[in-house]
Amino acid sequence: MTRTSKEAPSRPVSRARQRARASWIFSAVLLAFLMAVVWFAPDRLAGFKQQLLAVLAALLAGLMAFFLTGDLGIQRSWLKASGGLGAFALLLFLWPKIVPSAGPEIYRLRVTVLGTQGPVDGAEVRSSVGGEKKQVEGGWELDVPAGILPADRKVTVYADKGFLHGSREVVLDKDFQPAVTVELKADSSAQVVGIVQDGAGQLVAGALVWVENHEVEVVTTGTKGEFTLAAHAAPNQSVRLHVKKDGLEPLTQDHPAGTPVTLVLNRN
């Protein structure tokens, strides 16, 4: 006669073990969530995203505290609820220290314009993306909204005064009150382009043309009386031109650089 063995019935998992398992699960989820936020979130979060993440993390912390108090042997519901609410409020309070807030949405770019003698007053200041300009002590301030910045966040600041010009590139990123210095320099990029003709309107070839104080750069007009030479001045800045040709009276004439000119030589 064979004796059959009866299998022992499986014991149900106790409520204490269930609570312990749940508390460890919530603890792991909360830890993973906070690590993901700290490691992968951008340096600054928009306001609504900041609030959403804070509430979600606080809820996880509250649930974790609720179950952990049960693991400690506390059976009173109001004590467990108090622990959960305390953890919820504590994480909400500490959240701004964990993830930086979005900060202001306007960059207040301080611009100082310098010339050869130091700071320059009365310069015209602007940026490549626009922005509100206002004069402040010692310079200018450009209020640039973050929403109008290009993808690379690079902005070029320009300054002009008379025939002096300058520019400086700046990257607007974490610092919402950056400062930049723009140095003014003389613009000598303009040229003088024109023709030489006589009093009868005939084009004069072989005439010598130069800019005052730059005689070594004298040029000779072509077969159609044309010439091009460096003005050593900014566009629209006045330069003094000299022209001479054998058999014709020499000519000295002032003309704005960068604009076409016709020089007329009268016969002797």
Side-chain angles (χ1 to χ4, degrees):
M1 182 175 180
T2 59
R3 187 176 180 180
T4 59
S5 60
K6 295 182 179 180
E7 295 182 357
S10 59
R11 295 181 179 179
V13 180
S14 65
R15 295 183 62 184
R17 292 183 61 185
Q18 289 179 342
R19 287 195 300 268
R21 182 180 300 173
S23 63
W24 281 108
I25 291 175
F26 277 115
S27 299
V29 171
L30 176 62
L31 180 61
F33 177 78
L34 293 178
M35 291 175 63
V37 169
V38 173
W39 286 346
F40 300 110
D43 293 333
R44 296 181 181 274
L45 294 174
F48 76 96
K49 293 182 180 179
Q50 182 78 268
Q51 297 172 4
L52 182 62
L53 285 176
V55 171
L56 182 58
L59 284 174
L60 289 174
L63 289 172
M64 182 190 71
F66 180 83
F67 285 106
L68 281 178
T69 52
D71 289 342
L72 295 176
I74 300 175
Q75 300 300 326
R76 295 181 181 273
S77 298
W78 66 272
L79 284 177
K80 295 166 64 176
S82 298
L85 288 175
F88 178 85
L90 180 62
L91 190 55
L92 277 183
F93 175 76
L94 295 177
W95 186 259
K97 302 180 184 300
I98 299 175
V99 179
S101 61
E105 297 181 354
I106 295 180
Y107 288 91
R108 306 194 184 280
L109 178 58
R110 180 69 177 267
V111 181
T112 301
V113 182
L114 296 180
T116 56
Q117 304 297 325
V120 175
D121 295 328
E124 289 293 328
V125 177
R126 67 189 189 281
S127 79
S128 58
V129 296
E132 182 181 354
K133 178 184 68 175
K134 55 186 176 183
Q135 192 166 9
V136 296
E137 183 179 357
W140 296 87
E141 183 180 288
L142 295 174
D143 293 343
V144 181
I148 67 174
L149 294 178
D152 58 6
R153 311 187 76 82
K154 292 182 179 179
V155 174
T156 302
V157 180
Y158 301 94
D160 306 282
K161 185 171 184 180
F163 297 110
L164 301 177
H165 309 280
S167 64
R168 184 76 176 273
E169 186 178 79
V170 60
V171 178
L172 300 182
D173 193 7
K174 297 180 181 180
D175 185 4
F176 278 78
Q177 292 183 330
V180 63
T181 299
V182 180
E183 296 184 7
L184 295 181
K185 297 180 180 179
D187 182 0
S188 58
S189 62
Q191 291 183 320
V192 179
V193 179
I195 59 173
V196 177
Q197 63 184 32
D198 60 17
Q202 298 296 317
L203 299 175
V204 178
L208 301 179
V209 186
W210 69 93
V211 175
E212 188 167 285
N213 298 324
H214 298 281
E215 293 84 353
V216 295
E217 298 180 6
V218 62
V219 297
T220 303
T221 57
T223 57
K224 296 181 179 180
E226 77 282 1
F227 69 91
T228 300
L229 51 81
H232 297 281
N236 295 317
Q237 185 176 358
S238 181
V239 295
R240 179 158 294 178
L241 302 175
H242 296 274
V243 190
K244 70 177 182 179
K245 168 73 174 178
D246 292 341
L248 300 174
E249 293 183 0
L251 173 68
T252 298
Q253 180 175 318
D254 293 335
H255 188 78
T259 60
V261 60
T262 298
L263 303 174
V264 180
L265 298 180
N266 295 316
R267 296 193 177 275
N268 294 331

